[in-house]
């Protein structure tokens, strides 16, 4: 009967916009030509169009996209940056005031004999990771990724080992370039085994370059024999190929077994299955998988047929060459993981891969807000320059134009009337305020977090804390979506250091590390200090927990472990209790961070030797006692 099907998917909340969903349910081709490129998979067209539309809202350019459908009048719409303000506020809240890398157990170094070695290793890994974060500008990378994640719903980190810098590099990539390969039977929540980054390069007439398509691919696959940089059969294109076979030895016997395939140093072939195994520094057992990197470019005009980003032909591809001469054509990276971390803004639904933008639920409110702002701007023009009605002009040849110092000559029955539109302007402003409150409620950003609430309007600190309840649940959910991804990122950093054989990481065992984000709401430092001051001496909370509470509350504590050592170095009363309990000067000195003094050993008592035939020793004089009595 020609009934229209209603599709509900990850971006169907944009279906209300005609520019996004046409009669066929697809984005407008004139508004989103990038999403309609021949190499873009059909399932990614809506996602790329949604990213562009959300970016337009963030940059106050939504009216330019609406012009494609609504005409030139759409360009008159006012956009005052409300979506961008919401994004900036959410980014600041989800990041917190500061971010620290913490390895559990690093703050309890030497507290127990059986855990001294693991705690020392945790302390070492924490120090190395913090040094890497400082060198790699991790806070800035987090800020870049969170801006994309909150606004678009997804963020992507890409990592690589840099031989020149001798450390893993971390870069943020726009999610519009990210194309994971998720099969029909695959779980979208699981880690994909093949990931593409693809984008178009425009034509460069000055350099004589045609429009091109570049694709970088990471793929987990079975370990293959060793390949080296070479050229194809035509000798014009760099590729990877098997190394040349060694020349046969004429003196060798004809019955000698043929040599096997060339292997990467350290690889072994399983005799039973013939599979190639490799022992990685971070695994206890050998692995049969590795990650391959391919960086290729195609001329778009040469691509024909029904193809997409995952099925581009090998013919016609030009492979990039790394600075060390390695051709990036299925280059073995010597790691068993894909160094790419996708960060969703929200916890994805079951078996889904993508997150949702923080603007999604309130986007219609922002459209209404832009329309009300436009009406308010027009009404303010008529209020500032009121409309006049003039009747009974004495000189009909006079041209009437209102302006400062203008005098109208009216007849006996003349009349001058001004049309007052200030009441309409006040109603529009009230409507704008209501729409802003509605948007805040939908996004779960209370007025106190946006900075639009005066402190004098808050009746008490408890009332302010209650008003922040929706924000607490929102930030808790957003941080939950990022927690596992950040642990994965720090795990990849450790593995890349081990794969790069950095001298500082020799003998280091990878540890579970996490990124701790600071508070995002005002905290009562005096209350936290009272809790710690009363809880630590009474044994309700440990000293480590108390110092962490102080650091989270905003006290200037840069290193929790060093702060604990400074506190213990002055706890002489606790050291006296420890000496009474253990009787071990070395333990007490270690607690205070000092060296135990060297105590001289008392000499043994030497009693005088008395001859057995001495009569004075056998019969002491009257009034004297024997040696036992003196003792």
């Amino acid at each position: 009967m020609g009934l229209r099907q209603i599709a509900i998917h990850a971006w169907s909340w944009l279906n209300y916009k005609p520019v996004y969903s046409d009669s066929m349910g697809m984005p407008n081709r004139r508004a989103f030509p990038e999403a309609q490129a021949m190499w873009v998979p059909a399932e990614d067209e809506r996602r790329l169009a949604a990213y562009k539309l959300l970016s337009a809202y963030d940059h106050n350019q939504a009216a330019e996209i609406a012009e494609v459908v609504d005409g030139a009048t759409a360009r008159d719409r006012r956009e005052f940056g409300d979506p961008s303000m919401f994004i900036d506020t959410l980014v600041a809240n989800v990041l917190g005031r500061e971010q620290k890398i913490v390895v559990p157990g690093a703050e309890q170094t030497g507290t127990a004999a059986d855990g001294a070695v693991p705690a020392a290793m945790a302390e070492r890994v924490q120090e190395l990771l913090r040094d890497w974060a400082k060198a790699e500008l991790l806070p800035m990378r987090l800020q870049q990724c969170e801006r994309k994640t909150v606004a678009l719903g997804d963020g992507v980190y890409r990592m690589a080992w840099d031989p020149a810098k001798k450390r893993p590099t971390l870069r943020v990539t726009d999610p519009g370039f990210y194309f994971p390969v998720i099969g029909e039977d695959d779980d979208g929540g699981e880690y994909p085994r093949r990931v593409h980054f693809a984008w178009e390069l425009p034509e460069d007439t000055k350099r004589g370059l045609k429009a091109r398509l570049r694709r970088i691919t990471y793929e987990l696959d079975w370990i293959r024999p060793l390949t080296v940089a070479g050229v194809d059969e035509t000798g014009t294109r760099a590729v990877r190929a098997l190394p040349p076979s060694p020349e046969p030895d004429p003196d060798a016997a004809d019955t000698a077994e043929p040599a096997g395939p060339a292997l990467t140093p350290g690889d072994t072939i399983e005799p039973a299955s013939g599979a190639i195994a490799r022992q990685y520094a971070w695994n206890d057992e050998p692995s049969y998988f590795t990650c391959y990197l391919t960086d290729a470019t195609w001329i778009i005009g040469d691509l024909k047929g029904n193809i997409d980003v995952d099925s581009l032909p090998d013919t016609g591809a030009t492979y990039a060459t790394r600075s060390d001469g390695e051709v990036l054509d299925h280059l073995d990276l010597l790691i068993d993981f894909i160094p790419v971390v996708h960060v969703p803004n929200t916890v994805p639904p079951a078996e889904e891969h993508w997150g949702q933008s923080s603007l999604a639920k309130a986007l219609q409110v922002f459209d209404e807000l832009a329309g009300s702002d436009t009406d308010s701007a027009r009404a303010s023009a008529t209020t500032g320059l009121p409309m006049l009605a003039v009747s009974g002009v004495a000189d009909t040849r006079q041209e009437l134009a209102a302006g400062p110092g203008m005098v109208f000559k009216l007849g006996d029955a003349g009349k001058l009337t001004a049309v007052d539109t200030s009441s309409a302007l006040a109603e529009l402003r009230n409507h704008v305020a209501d729409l802003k409150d509605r948007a805040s409620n939908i996004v779960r950003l209370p007025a106190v977090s946006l900075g639009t609430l005066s402190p004098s309007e808050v009746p008490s600190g408890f009332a302010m804390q209650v008003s922040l309840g929706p924000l607490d649940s929102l930030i808790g959910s957003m941080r939950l979506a990022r927690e596992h991804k950040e642990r994965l990122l720090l795990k990849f950093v450790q593995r890349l250091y081990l794969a790069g054989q950095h001298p500082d990481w020799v003998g280091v065992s990878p540890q579970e590390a996490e990124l701790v984000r600071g508070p995002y709401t005002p905290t009562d430092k005096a209350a936290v200090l009272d809790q710690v001051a009363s809880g630590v001496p009474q044994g309700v909370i440990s000293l480590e927990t108390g110092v962490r509470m102080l650091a989270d509350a905003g006290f200037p504590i840069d290193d929790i472990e060093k702060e604990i050592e400074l506190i213990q170095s002055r706890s002489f009363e606790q050291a006296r209790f420890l000496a009474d309990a253990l009787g071990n000067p070395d333990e007490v000195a270690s607690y205070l961070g000092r060296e135990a003094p060297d105590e001289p050993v008392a000499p043994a008592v030497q009693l005088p030797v008395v001859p057995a035939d001495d009569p004075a020793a056998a019969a002491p004089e009257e009034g004297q006692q024997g040696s036992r009595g003196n003792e």
Side-chain angles (χ1 to χ4, degrees):
M1 297 177 61
L3 297 179
R4 180 180 178 182
Q5 295 182 354
I6 299 177
I8 299 178
H9 48 80
W11 297 275
S12 58
W13 44 270
L14 279 170
N15 286 347
Y16 80 95
K17 299 186 73 66
V19 71
Y20 181 80
S21 181
D22 57 13
S23 59
M24 302 298 294
M26 298 301 295
N28 188 282
R29 288 184 175 273
R30 291 195 299 130
F32 310 103
E34 305 86 357
Q36 308 291 340
M38 53 90 67
W39 56 271
V40 175
E43 60 271 15
D44 290 309
E45 293 181 4
R46 294 186 180 91
R47 177 173 67 92
L48 299 185
Y51 288 162
K52 183 177 181 179
L53 186 57
L54 290 168
S55 297
Y57 274 91
D58 186 19
H59 293 84
N60 291 348
Q61 292 180 286
E64 296 184 26
I65 294 182
E67 183 185 6
V68 175
V69 174
D70 299 338
T73 57
R75 296 293 294 268
D76 297 334
R77 184 179 303 172
R78 296 291 190 270
E79 297 180 81
F80 295 150
D82 293 282
S84 180
M85 180 194 64
F86 275 66
I87 293 173
D88 291 337
T89 304
L90 284 171
V91 169
N93 288 333
V94 76
L95 281 174
R97 295 194 185 99
E98 59 182 6
Q99 305 83 39
K100 290 185 178 180
I101 297 177
V102 175
V103 177
E107 296 151 8
Q108 289 83 22
T109 303
T111 56
D114 56 349
V117 175
M121 182 62 68
E123 179 188 7
R124 177 61 176 161
V125 172
Q126 177 176 276
E127 180 183 357
L128 291 172
L129 287 176
R130 289 182 176 180
D131 292 342
W132 168 82
K134 183 180 298 184
E136 196 57 24
L137 305 177
L138 181 61
M140 186 186 70
R141 305 298 182 195
L142 291 173
Q143 182 87 11
Q144 292 173 343
C145 186
E146 287 297 344
R147 200 66 174 67
K148 295 285 187 182
T149 306
V150 173
L152 306 182
D154 301 284
V156 181
Y157 291 109
R158 197 161 49 135
M159 309 180 68
W161 173 257
D162 191 330
K165 297 180 179 179
K166 297 186 181 302
R167 69 170 186 265
T169 57
L170 181 66
R171 297 294 179 266
V172 177
T173 303
D174 191 289
F177 302 149
Y178 171 64
F179 296 90
V181 179
I182 302 175
E184 295 180 355
D185 299 330
D186 296 340
D187 186 355
E190 295 293 334
Y191 206 75
R193 300 184 65 87
R194 186 163 67 251
V195 170
H196 302 296
F197 292 91
W199 63 94
E200 291 187 7
L201 300 173
E203 181 181 3
D204 190 347
T205 56
K206 293 183 178 180
R207 299 169 57 190
L209 298 176
K210 299 180 180 180
R212 293 151 294 151
L213 171 65
R214 184 179 179 184
R215 188 191 70 180
I216 299 176
T217 301
Y218 296 88
E219 182 178 9
L220 281 180
D221 204 351
W222 299 97
I223 300 176
R224 305 186 189 123
L226 175 67
T227 58
V228 296
V231 293
D232 61 356
E233 297 176 354
T234 62
T236 59
R237 188 176 60 143
V239 295
R240 298 196 68 82
L242 296 175
S245 301
E247 294 293 337
D249 187 1
D251 298 333
D254 296 338
T255 58
E257 296 182 0
L263 301 179
T264 302
D267 292 354
T268 58
I269 297 181
E270 297 287 343
S273 61
I276 301 176
R278 180 180 299 165
Q279 181 64 55
Y280 294 102
W282 49 86
N283 289 341
D284 296 332
E285 297 181 356
S287 174
Y288 299 94
F289 293 92
T290 188
C291 180
Y292 292 98
L293 171 64
T294 302
D295 187 350
T297 304
W298 289 263
I299 297 177
I300 296 180
D302 296 342
L303 298 176
K304 307 295 181 181
N306 186 17
I307 59 175
D308 59 17
V309 68
D310 191 48
S311 59
L312 294 174
D314 293 335
T315 57
T318 302
Y319 297 104
T321 303
R322 208 166 59 180
S323 58
D324 58 356
E326 292 288 354
V327 179
L328 302 184
D329 173 20
H330 292 84
L331 175 66
D332 190 348
L333 296 181
L334 304 179
I335 54 178
D336 62 345
F337 58 91
I338 295 178
V340 175
V341 179
H342 165 251
V343 182
N345 183 50
T346 58
V347 177
E351 300 182 355
E352 294 292 338
H353 187 77
W354 308 103
Q356 188 179 77
S357 170
S358 295
L359 302 180
K361 298 296 191 299
L363 209 58
Q364 295 190 48
V365 182
F366 288 125
D367 286 343
E368 293 290 335
L369 192 57
S372 299
D373 287 335
T374 304
D375 295 338
S376 298
R378 292 171 179 171
S380 64
T382 60
T383 302
L385 295 174
M387 296 178 289
L388 301 178
V390 182
S391 62
V393 181
D395 187 2
T396 57
R397 293 173 300 176
Q398 180 182 1
E399 295 183 1
L400 303 180
M406 176 62 65
V407 178
F408 295 95
K409 296 181 180 181
L410 305 178
D412 295 338
K415 188 177 181 180
L416 178 64
T417 305
V419 180
D420 185 10
T421 60
S422 59
S423 59
L425 178 60
E427 289 298 328
L428 284 172
R429 288 178 174 176
N430 292 335
H431 184 55
V432 168
D434 292 340
L435 289 175
K436 289 184 177 181
D437 292 340
R438 175 69 67 86
S440 299
N441 294 335
I442 294 174
V443 182
R444 288 188 288 174
L445 279 177
V448 63
S449 64
L450 290 173
T452 58
L453 181 65
S454 174
S456 60
E457 299 177 3
V458 181
S460 63
F462 179 75
M464 186 182 69
Q465 192 68 27
V466 172
S467 67
L468 290 173
L471 179 63
D472 292 338
S473 61
L474 171 65
I475 299 302
S477 176
M478 295 175 69
R479 290 188 174 183
L480 177 62
R482 293 156 171 76
E483 181 179 356
H484 169 67
K485 303 296 184 176
E486 291 161 355
R487 289 176 179 267
L488 195 64
L489 186 148
L490 296 176
K491 181 186 294 185
F492 288 173
V493 172
Q494 299 178 65
R495 292 183 174 183
L496 287 174
Y497 265 119
L498 294 176
Q501 299 180 357
H502 194 280
D504 293 342
W505 286 76
V506 174
V508 174
S509 301
Q511 304 290 319
E512 288 290 336
E514 58 186 7
L515 185 68
V516 178
R517 300 169 183 247
Y520 54 91
T521 57
T523 55
D524 190 349
K525 293 185 178 181
V528 175
L529 183 60
D530 291 340
Q531 293 176 0
V532 174
S534 60
V536 173
Q538 296 180 9
V540 179
I541 57 178
S542 65
L543 178 60
E544 291 81 3
T545 303
V547 176
R548 182 178 295 278
M549 291 172 59
L550 295 176
D552 294 341
F555 285 86
I557 300 176
D558 297 331
D559 193 323
I560 295 178
E561 180 187 354
K562 299 297 183 183
E563 190 72 17
I564 294 173
E565 293 177 357
L566 290 174
I567 294 174
Q568 291 180 347
S569 65
R570 297 171 176 85
S571 302
F572 300 108
E573 188 69 16
Q574 297 295 330
R576 184 173 63 84
F577 293 152
L578 184 63
D580 294 341
L582 301 179
N584 189 343
D586 294 332
E587 289 284 348
V588 178
S590 177
Y591 177 82
L592 294 174
R594 305 185 181 189
E595 295 183 0
D598 297 332
E599 296 184 358
V601 180
V605 178
Q606 300 291 335
L607 298 178
V609 179
V610 180
D613 56 351
D614 189 355
E621 297 181 359
E622 185 179 357
Q624 295 182 352
Q625 297 180 350
S627 60
R628 186 172 299 277
N630 291 333
E631 293 176 358

